[in-house]
Amino acid sequence: MEDKDIEVVKFGRHLFDLRREQKISQEDLAFRSEINRTYIGEVERGEKNPSLTTIVKLAKGLNVDKKVLMEY
């Protein structure tokens, strides 16, 4: 099993925290950001490294500036 990239893990945790602060489910965020719910879970667990396009979609789904997502 490959070690997870610490930056990817930190980003995922930050995404999780932001989502929970807004009290929205992964399904709600998936719908809002037009991203698969399963993929959001993988990002939150640090299993997937999202592209810039995905980060922009997540920011829109959370109704925050993309800069906020990068301040983890």
Side-chain angles (χ1 to χ4, degrees):
M1 182 174 186
E2 189 175 315
D3 289 333
K4 295 179 185 177
D5 182 320
I6 190 68
E7 295 301 316
V8 174
V9 171
K10 286 179 184 178
F11 178 86
R13 183 61 199 200
H14 182 58
L15 174 62
F16 173 83
D17 290 341
L18 289 171
R19 180 178 63 76
R20 296 292 294 229
E21 284 173 12
Q22 293 189 23
K23 296 179 174 55
I24 61 174
S25 67
Q26 286 181 348
E27 287 184 19
D28 289 337
L29 180 56
F31 177 77
R32 294 178 186 188
S33 56
E34 300 179 349
I35 297 172
N36 184 286
R37 185 206 54 81
T38 302
Y39 185 76
I40 290 174
E42 292 170 334
V43 171
E44 288 185 347
R45 291 188 301 274
E47 296 170 358
K48 296 286 184 178
N49 186 354
S51 69
L52 179 57
T53 301
T54 301
I55 291 169
V56 169
K57 288 181 175 184
L58 289 167
K60 286 181 182 177
L62 290 167
N63 198 30
V64 298
D65 190 281
K66 58 191 166 289
K67 179 177 147 182
V68 172
L69 277 178
M70 299 307 297
E71 294 174 339
Y72 55 90

